[in-house]
Amino acid sequence: AAAIGSRTVSVSIDSLTPTTPTKSDTLTVSGTVTNDGKSTVSGGRVALRVGPQISGRSAIDDVAKRTGFSFGADGAEVDGKYTKKIEKLPAGISRDFSIKIPVKDLNLGSDGIYQLGVALTGHSSTQAEQVLGIQRTLLPWQPSAVDGKKTKLTVMWPLISTTHLTARTASDPQQTPVFRNDDLAAEIAPGGRLQQLVALGKNLPVTWVIDPDLLASVEAMTKNYSVEQPDGTTAPGKSQAVAKQWLHDLQDAIPGDQVMALPFADPDLASLAHRGKDVTGSLSHLQAATELAATTVDTIIGVKPRTDFAWPVDGAIDSSIVDVATSAGARNVITRSDSLRDSDLPYAPTAARKIGSGNTAIVSDARLSTAFQGDMAKAGNSTLAVQQFLAQTLMVTMQEPQNQRSVVVAPQRTPTASQAQAMAAALGALSDNRWTQPVDLGDAAKAKPDPDANQRIPGGGSYSGSLRKQELPNSAFQDIKKTQSTLDGFKVILTAKDRVVTPFGNAIMREMSTSWRGDHRAAENFRDSSEQYLNNLRGQVHLIQKSDATLSGRSATVPVTVKNGLLQGIDGLRLVLTSQQPNRLDVGDPKPIAVEGGHSQSVKFETRANANGPVKVTAQLLTEDGEPYGGPMYFTVQVTSITPMVLLVIAVGVLLLVLAGLRIYLKRKKRGAARDTADGDQHDGGEDNGADSDDPEQPGDPAPDTGSQSTDPSGSGEKVDR
């Protein structure tokens, strides 16, 4: 829109103190005016204008939306002695202003919320004097004690970050962790987002909402750690002192406050409900993340947290999200009033609602929860947000002054430093015995529900389409399932399982984190890198490729080598050789495998050959339950159990036997002929008294063979080379 009329000059209210004034206070309003027009503004003055008392929460919303000036809605100028004169304001130039006025001179009426405008009036070009620019804010006015009951106010104070730690660790005994980047160091350093949240929260009545993964990541930074570089290498991290200081400050800030721990890594409940629950094993990770949460928080900062609260993204719920959230033990689901609506009630009801099965919905106030989501680094935005927040809380109290209610504020998950500062400013203004009373989240969950409040969980069709687009896809949960399956098949052979199960189990939980919303590519890269690194580790245990072997005898020892490149030992594997022609080559029984870290083991198989020729052999590692570990390894065994030399010896031996037999036969035949002649002569001259004593040969069976042929001509065989 063109910078004309009441939009010629933009007005910014950068400071308003005190934010909730009393009768005896002096109000100070400071800011800047900027000429957005094309001509110089002359005879200008900046003055306050008090509008009528505002009725209703929607009317508070309308104040921020109105742009043009309206005398009826914006009111008359306050006493002229409280104005700031600006004689000349050239085009494009800004001027600062500061106005101080006793609150009594504002002539405010009864308790309530008033619109306070800051307007610049003057001449532009040849036009007559008019309001050339105005900015409105809200002034909560409750100078005396609350006429009724205070509103119980619960403020969730989130310590949540994105995913920083990878599954990767250095190959040293300490398993030095590797971070995706060094962004966490900037967040916890002085002035950083998380450092500010801790410093500000220390002096506020809040319930701390902590992702245990953040604590685990910072705790890892207190020791040696590495950071991935753009070229894939790693560099030593240098923020140990900052990490130690942040944990110390947190431990110092939370005593006396309630701590709520999210499931480890803040899993995306909506993504699980809409995309993941039908993938086998997905919900088991939510259960594991919930169990790990309490242990992590207690171990690192010495606090036993509540783990029975679930917090879906933006408090948006449907029946499936509630089912998933409560499946892991949460009995309180934090939602928001723009998801579970109370459209028929003229007031804000108590946050707690009974939703069946012993579960409670904690309905945070949407207006209060989203009050600080803008760019709070601009002083004008921050000041307006603080005043709007305070005005809304007072209006809630005034709606039903005799009906005390419990209201919950669930802000954005990862407030910036400036957003945290604005929230702290608003809460600080309420802490001086005003119209609210701070309570922790546990008390809010136990508050008596309003009988007229909505307790019906919305159906799936009501879930925000824009939020649904940010969810992890079904393929993400398929990837997670694959990684878990790989891990399950790997850990069974390890002698120090925790060195692998812990970092990869945590990485799998991080793969489900809410922090991946809107950044699908980074989420996919994280999953891929985890799976690749796990496969690389798994591949450190493998068979060394064997060259083809030759057996020169009927039996021989065939060695196969298993290498363990891990730092830890492995056990629980069997090595199996399979002959594709078992009738030709028998390769023996499977062998158990146990190899120390960084070593290799040569396993010897006693083989036996039954016939000549090549035989293909497969070597495969198997787990104890018979599942293949790694791929098969193939090699060929050339069987030569009966060599040509042996055949020649046997042939010569057979020939000699045949010749010996022929000689015996001929001798016997000759002896028989001679005996026949002698018998004829004796028949003529007398009785033969016996055998010829001169012939030592006696009739009978021929001499036995020289010996049976050995069935193992080469003995035990030679050991083949690998």
Side-chain angles (χ1 to χ4, degrees):
I4 58 175
S6 59
R7 300 183 183 87
T8 302
V9 175
S10 59
V11 181
S12 174
I13 303 174
D14 298 336
S15 173
L16 187 151
T17 57
T19 54
T20 57
T22 61
K23 291 179 180 179
S24 60
D25 288 329
T26 295
L27 187 70
T28 301
V29 182
S30 303
T32 59
V33 291
T34 303
N35 185 356
D36 297 327
K38 296 181 179 180
S39 58
T40 298
V41 171
S42 60
R45 66 182 182 276
V46 179
L48 302 180
R49 291 175 178 266
V50 178
Q53 187 176 7
I54 294 174
S55 175
R57 300 188 72 184
S58 59
I60 294 177
D61 300 333
D62 293 339
V63 168
K65 297 176 184 176
R66 285 200 304 117
T67 55
F69 173 75
S70 168
F71 183 83
D74 293 314
E77 285 187 5
V78 178
D79 193 327
K81 63 182 178 181
Y82 301 115
T83 61
K84 172 73 172 180
K85 294 187 179 298
I86 300 178
E87 294 295 341
K88 296 288 184 181
L89 185 62
I93 300 301
S94 298
R95 293 279 189 268
D96 295 334
F97 68 87
S98 182
I99 298 174
K100 292 185 177 182
I101 181 172
V103 173
K104 61 182 179 59
D105 289 345
L106 291 174
N107 297 318
L108 301 175
S110 60
D111 294 5
I113 295 96
Y114 291 85
Q115 174 186 294
L116 181 66
V118 179
L120 183 140
T121 303
H123 300 271
S124 177
S125 186
T126 59
Q127 297 177 352
E129 182 182 85
Q130 62 177 317
V131 173
L132 298 175
I134 186 170
Q135 177 61 279
R136 303 168 186 85
T137 187
L138 297 158
L139 196 64
W141 177 239
Q142 191 260 315
S144 56
V146 173
D147 184 17
K149 297 181 179 180
K150 295 182 179 182
T151 298
K152 293 183 177 180
L153 184 66
T154 299
V155 178
M156 296 166 54
W157 200 252
L159 294 182
I160 303 170
S161 187
T162 55
T163 298
H164 297 284
L165 265 174
T166 69
R168 184 179 174 188
T169 58
S171 56
D172 54 20
Q174 293 76 30
Q175 284 191 278
T176 299
V178 178
F179 283 69
R180 296 174 60 217
N181 48 51
D182 214 13
D183 293 352
L184 184 55
E187 288 192 282
I188 63 176
R193 186 182 72 83
L194 291 170
Q195 186 273 336
Q196 285 289 289
L197 279 165
V198 170
L200 294 167
K202 177 181 180 179
N203 300 313
L204 297 173
V206 296
T207 294
W208 299 85
V209 180
I210 300 177
D211 176 7
D213 183 31
L214 171 61
L215 300 186
S217 299
V218 176
E219 198 274 337
M221 291 176 64
T222 64
K223 310 177 185 69
N224 290 336
Y225 71 98
S226 297
V227 181
E228 287 184 346
Q229 303 300 301
D231 61 359
T233 61
T234 62
K238 301 178 181 179
S239 298
Q240 287 84 354
V242 169
K244 292 176 182 177
Q245 185 63 50
W246 188 83
L247 286 177
H248 176 271
D249 291 345
L250 177 59
Q251 290 172 316
D252 188 47
I254 61 178
D257 295 333
Q258 190 172 81
V259 175
M260 183 193 102
L262 297 170
F264 190 91
D266 188 18
D268 191 334
L269 300 177
S271 294
L272 269 167
H274 299 153
R275 317 290 178 98
K277 69 178 181 180
D278 295 330
V279 178
T280 305
S282 295
L283 292 183
S284 66
H285 299 304
L286 177 60
Q287 179 67 44
T290 301
E291 294 171 356
L292 182 59
T295 303
T296 303
V297 174
D298 191 12
T299 301
I300 296 176
I301 60 174
V303 174
K304 295 187 182 300
R306 294 281 297 265
T307 59
D308 55 340
F309 288 85
W311 189 18
V313 172
D314 288 357
I317 61 169
D318 58 26
S319 56
S320 64
I321 294 174
V322 171
D323 289 344
V324 165
T326 56
S327 69
R331 290 293 172 260
N332 305 286
V333 181
I334 300 165
T335 179
R336 208 165 67 185
S337 58
D338 54 358
S339 181
L340 203 160
R341 299 176 180 273
D342 293 287
S343 55
D344 297 333
L345 290 180
Y347 60 89
T350 285
R353 318 287 171 85
K354 298 300 181 182
I355 55 176
S357 302
N359 300 318
T360 301
I362 312 298
V363 185
S364 65
D365 188 274
R367 286 185 175 94
L368 299 178
S369 298
T370 60
F372 303 100
Q373 289 187 351
D375 180 8
M376 297 295 110
K378 294 181 178 179
N381 292 347
S382 175
T383 299
L384 294 179
V386 168
Q387 296 307 123
Q388 188 170 31
F389 182 92
L390 296 172
Q392 289 286 0
T393 57
L394 178 56
M395 185 62 74
V396 167
T397 303
M398 294 178 63
Q399 284 175 337
E400 291 281 320
Q402 300 306 319
N403 178 17
Q404 186 180 48
R405 282 148 292 140
S406 177
V407 176
V408 172
V409 178
Q412 56 272 34
R413 260 176 157 72
T414 55
T416 64
S418 58
Q419 288 171 344
Q421 290 161 1
M423 289 192 294
L427 296 180
L430 289 174
S431 64
D432 188 21
N433 193 30
R434 304 314 297 260
W435 49 85
T436 61
Q437 172 187 341
V439 297
D440 60 38
L441 190 59
D443 288 337
K446 293 186 293 185
K448 183 180 179 180
D450 190 315
D452 297 324
N454 180 21
Q455 300 178 24
R456 182 177 299 175
I457 301 300
S462 64
Y463 191 79
S464 165
S466 60
L467 287 179
R468 196 179 290 270
K469 289 179 181 178
Q470 296 176 0
E471 293 174 354
L472 293 170
N474 178 269
S475 59
F477 295 97
Q478 296 290 351
D479 291 344
I480 291 170
K481 178 183 177 181
K482 180 181 177 183
T483 301
Q484 183 64 57
S485 178
T486 303
L487 180 60
D488 290 341
F490 184 36
K491 68 182 181 182
V492 296
I493 73 165
L494 302 175
T495 57
K497 293 178 174 55
D498 287 348
R499 286 183 61 88
V500 173
V501 172
T502 298
F504 281 98
N506 292 348
I508 287 173
M509 296 178 201
R510 292 177 180 121
E511 290 173 5
M512 299 167 51
S513 176
T514 299
S515 68
W516 299 118
R517 279 192 166 244
D519 198 354
H520 289 175
R521 177 169 294 182
E524 184 176 3
N525 290 340
F526 186 83
R527 295 194 302 272
D528 289 346
S529 63
S530 296
E531 175 72 14
Q532 181 180 0
Y533 182 55
L534 179 58
N535 285 329
N536 289 342
L537 283 181
R538 197 172 186 269
Q540 294 297 310
V541 179
H542 62 91
L543 297 171
I544 294 180
Q545 181 60 47
K546 180 176 180 58
S547 58
D548 294 344
T550 300
L551 299 188
S552 58
R554 290 195 175 183
S555 63
T557 301
V558 175
V560 178
T561 302
V562 180
K563 182 177 181 179
N564 177 15
L566 302 172
L567 287 180
Q568 63 174 292
I570 61 166
D571 201 352
L573 282 175
R574 290 181 298 129
L575 178 57
V576 178
L577 291 191
T578 304
S579 171
Q580 293 189 4
Q581 294 176 285
N583 60 333
R584 177 176 290 181
L585 179 66
D586 181 2
V587 292
D589 298 328
K591 306 292 184 183
I593 301 297
V595 189
E596 294 182 5
H599 289 73
S600 298
Q601 178 184 357
S602 183
V603 184
K604 299 177 181 178
F605 287 83
E606 296 294 333
T607 63
R608 190 170 186 83
N610 300 315
N612 290 345
V615 178
K616 290 186 177 180
V617 177
T618 303
Q620 176 68 63
L621 290 170
L622 299 177
T623 60
E624 288 183 340
D625 57 1
E627 291 296 321
Y629 183 92
M633 186 259 287
Y634 304 98
F635 62 96
T636 300
V637 175
Q638 183 70 37
V639 180
T640 56
S641 60
I642 303 178
T643 65
M645 182 60 70
V646 172
L647 292 175
L648 178 60
V649 170
I650 293 174
V652 171
V654 171
L655 178 59
L656 292 175
L657 288 175
V658 171
L659 292 175
L662 180 61
R663 177 175 175 273
I664 293 172
Y665 170 76
L666 292 175
K667 287 181 65 176
R668 285 181 177 176
K669 185 174 181 181
K670 180 179 179 181
R671 187 184 304 121
R675 183 180 301 153
D676 290 343
T677 303
D679 287 345
D681 292 343
Q682 190 173 15
H683 180 74
D684 291 339
E687 183 180 6
D688 185 3
N689 292 324
D692 186 357
S693 61
D694 293 333
D695 186 358
E697 295 282 356
Q698 299 295 324
D701 294 333
D705 292 338
T706 57
S708 60
Q709 182 180 359
S710 171
T711 59
D712 189 9
S714 59
S716 62
E718 65 183 42
K719 178 178 178 181
V720 300
D721 293 330
R722 286 181 286 164

